[in-house]
Amino acid sequence: LCCFQLYGYCYQDSNDIPDTLTTITELGSPLEMIQLLQTSWEDRFRICLSLVRLLHYLAHSPLGSVTLLDFRPRQFVIVDGELKVTDLDDASVEESSCTSNSDCFMEFPARNFTLPCSVEGRCQSMNEKRNLYNAYRFFFTYLLPHSAPSSLRPLLDKIVNATGNHNKHGNAKYPSPSVNSEFTQKCVKSANTQYRRVPEAHIPDENYRCWPSYHHKGCLLSVFDVNEAIEICDSYSQCKAFVLTNQTTWTGRQLVFFKMASNHIVPDPDKITYVKVTD
């Protein structure tokens, strides 16, 4: 699940190109960090969650603890919203040998770590720690805190700091299912603004742009319930109505279109429209 799916391979030996191995793998999209920062926090959280699964697998693989020596975004692709590693040429299962703790020194651009030397003469968990810190500096520090839900920010700060500090709470405990649960179950109280419910109705036009949006020409966001949709609409001065769709995100949150007017409402059995009532 964490690595590229291999569908087949072909070994060919010819006079022109000896020892040629051709592999057929699933298709993935290159990882572009700038583009990721422009996506919704929910999608970025999903990528971090898939990276956690990869780190756990590498730490407990059948071969032992595996480290990716070239742990950079260019080594990964996105397949159906999940992060997968594509290049295993620089993977290693060898834990560094040592005679003292000073031999277990890990140097990174921003900080350094010294791990304990075991009685067997191996640096304890060096492979796992190297993967962990690289995941922190290349992924978590950018993707997790940026535009995160306010209710989750204290927990996310704790997770990111623990991952970067390599303390006892930082061992593959980044975005956990509890974070996912808190996010999907986020429920806010509705404001005093009144809205008129129009069942089986849709507003096809009257779009405005917002960020982050699931639709590049409109304001399409995910909500837990109607109360959260009301809070969002009240926070935008141009929002005069919103439309609940029957579509959900991967966490189960409902997608909602926010509109700047309600002049043209059309029938649609799969949608519910809420129109702001003005005095």
Side-chain angles (χ1 to χ4, degrees):
L1 293 177
C2 300
C3 301
F4 236 22
Q5 179 67 42
L6 177 66
Y7 292 128
Y9 63 91
C10 177
Y11 178 77
Q12 178 180 349
D13 190 2
S14 65
N15 294 330
D16 297 331
I17 308 176
D19 301 328
T20 300
L21 178 65
T22 302
T23 61
I24 304 172
T25 63
E26 62 184 326
L27 183 64
S29 301
L31 191 69
E32 300 289 345
M33 192 61 66
I34 295 179
Q35 293 181 2
L36 284 182
L37 292 175
Q38 296 173 346
T39 62
S40 69
W41 183 86
E42 198 170 355
D43 288 342
R44 285 183 272 119
F45 172 74
R46 184 181 186 182
I47 290 174
C48 291
L49 200 58
S50 60
L51 181 53
V52 169
R53 299 189 185 103
L54 171 62
L55 292 173
H56 184 270
Y57 177 80
L58 292 176
H60 305 89
S61 80
L63 299 176
S65 182
V66 180
T67 186
L68 301 180
L69 299 176
D70 191 12
F71 197 117
R72 286 187 258 186
R74 67 185 182 187
Q75 305 292 349
F76 299 87
V77 296
I78 299 177
V79 180
D80 296 330
E82 301 280 343
L83 190 73
K84 294 191 177 185
V85 62
T86 62
D87 190 351
L88 296 175
D89 290 346
D90 296 309
S92 174
V93 296
E94 294 294 330
E95 294 279 15
S96 299
S97 59
C98 58
T99 57
S100 65
N101 291 348
S102 60
D103 296 327
C104 302
F105 181 73
M106 289 198 304
E107 185 175 7
F108 296 97
R111 63 185 313 168
N112 304 319
F113 301 95
T114 300
L115 301 179
C117 180
S118 68
V119 294
E120 293 82 11
R122 296 289 177 179
C123 296
Q124 293 184 14
S125 304
M126 178 169 277
N127 287 347
E128 182 179 4
K129 296 289 188 180
R130 182 182 288 110
N131 290 339
L132 182 65
Y133 188 76
N134 280 328
Y136 158 79
R137 71 189 185 109
F138 286 119
F139 291 95
F140 298 130
T141 189
Y142 297 109
L143 300 182
L144 275 181
H146 181 57
S147 70
S150 57
S151 61
L152 295 180
R153 285 173 186 167
L155 177 58
L156 292 173
D157 289 341
K158 182 178 179 181
I159 290 171
V160 173
N161 289 336
T163 307
N165 292 331
H166 268 185
N167 63 22
K168 64 181 179 180
H169 301 296
N171 292 325
K173 290 186 179 180
Y174 335 104
S176 64
S178 63
V179 178
N180 188 22
S181 176
E182 287 188 46
F183 178 58
T184 57
Q185 297 179 21
K186 179 178 180 290
C187 182
V188 298
K189 295 181 179 179
S190 63
N192 294 325
T193 310
Q194 292 185 344
Y195 286 81
R196 176 169 57 92
R197 185 177 184 270
V198 185
E200 298 185 354
H202 175 49
I203 303 174
D205 302 312
E206 309 295 349
N207 291 314
Y208 67 89
R209 294 183 179 182
C210 67
W211 186 91
S213 174
Y214 286 91
H215 193 281
H216 68 283
K217 291 185 178 180
C219 187
L220 180 63
L221 304 174
S222 69
V223 303
F224 173 73
D225 62 2
V226 175
N227 289 337
E228 187 173 357
I230 290 175
E231 182 188 65
I232 293 174
C233 190
D234 286 346
S235 68
Y236 287 98
S237 59
Q238 64 266 55
C239 183
K240 305 301 180 185
F242 60 86
V243 180
L244 299 180
T245 73
N246 62 353
Q247 297 176 300
T248 59
T249 65
W250 71 278
T251 59
R253 286 167 61 89
Q254 193 169 12
L255 289 176
V256 176
F257 272 109
F258 294 88
K259 306 288 184 173
M260 61 182 179
S262 57
N263 299 324
H264 182 49
I265 300 179
V266 299
D268 190 324
D270 297 325
K271 296 180 177 62
I272 303 173
T273 293
Y274 284 80
V275 179
K276 186 178 292 186
V277 178
T278 57
D279 296 334

